[in-house]
Amino acid sequence: MRIKLKKNCSLAPHQMMIAIGIIVSTSFIIGAIFLLMGAYLVLPFALLEIGIVVTAFVIHARSICDFDELELHDQHWIVRQERSGVLSEYRLNKGYFALDKKALPNATLTVHTRTQTIEFAEWLTAKDREVLFDQLRRNLDPRNS
């Protein structure tokens, strides 16, 4: 069984670029119009605003592709995570790790081994996280193997 968890993104990447283009071009046009009218300080502030907006969108774009992927096999699990472009993969043998959920309603699910802790499912709602936790618990149950 394979489960892939991704963020819910309201805009596709090309739509995001169109939105950035509209915001940036509007600010630049307004700054240029004020420059032509003799207000010389508006354009530098418009350029500063453009730089800040583009920086914010770049930071947002780095995390927009983050995901958690769980592959559940008979004797092991494989957990893959991507965070800000960095891919991590963990292979966990059944019986050598514990699945846990934190008490807070918006907390992540956690896998504990002797040497590491892996948190995942941070983008799910509390209800969906509970359903996933129950499903993973059933997969861990030795009677189901």
Side-chain angles (χ1 to χ4, degrees):
M1 176 185 345
R2 176 180 284 170
I3 300 170
K4 189 163 188 175
L5 308 170
K6 297 179 2 176
K7 289 182 177 181
N8 184 14
C9 301
S10 58
L11 292 178
H14 71 279
Q15 293 171 324
M16 182 76 72
M17 295 304 292
I18 291 170
I20 293 171
I22 290 171
I23 293 170
V24 165
S25 60
T26 301
S27 291
F28 183 76
I29 289 170
I30 291 170
I33 289 172
F34 274 98
L35 178 68
L36 293 174
M37 292 173 30
Y40 299 105
L41 290 178
V42 175
L43 184 60
F45 282 101
L47 294 174
L48 177 65
E49 174 194 6
I50 289 169
I52 291 170
V53 167
V54 169
T55 301
F57 275 103
V58 167
I59 290 169
H60 174 69
R62 286 185 53 128
S63 68
I64 205 164
C65 296
D66 290 356
F67 69 88
D68 293 332
E69 184 177 34
L70 305 165
E71 283 186 34
L72 311 175
H73 300 279
D74 289 338
Q75 298 302 317
H76 66 277
W77 285 9
I78 297 174
V79 179
R80 287 185 197 88
Q81 295 183 314
E82 183 172 331
R83 298 291 186 273
S84 299
V86 178
L87 184 65
S88 302
E89 182 173 305
Y90 309 94
R91 185 183 174 107
L92 308 166
N93 293 319
K94 279 190 176 179
Y96 293 99
F97 66 92
L99 181 65
D100 187 24
K101 63 179 178 179
K102 295 184 179 173
L104 300 174
N106 294 327
T108 59
L109 298 181
T110 308
V111 175
H112 298 282
T113 66
R114 281 187 282 161
T115 59
Q116 58 191 337
T117 298
I118 305 164
E119 293 187 355
F120 61 95
E122 62 196 70
W123 304 297
L124 294 179
T125 63
K127 182 180 177 183
D128 290 339
R129 197 175 295 118
E130 190 72 34
V131 169
L132 177 62
F133 180 78
D134 291 340
Q135 184 178 5
L136 295 176
R137 272 281 185 213
R138 281 192 303 277
N139 182 269
L140 275 176
D141 190 348
R143 294 173 291 201
N144 296 334
S145 295

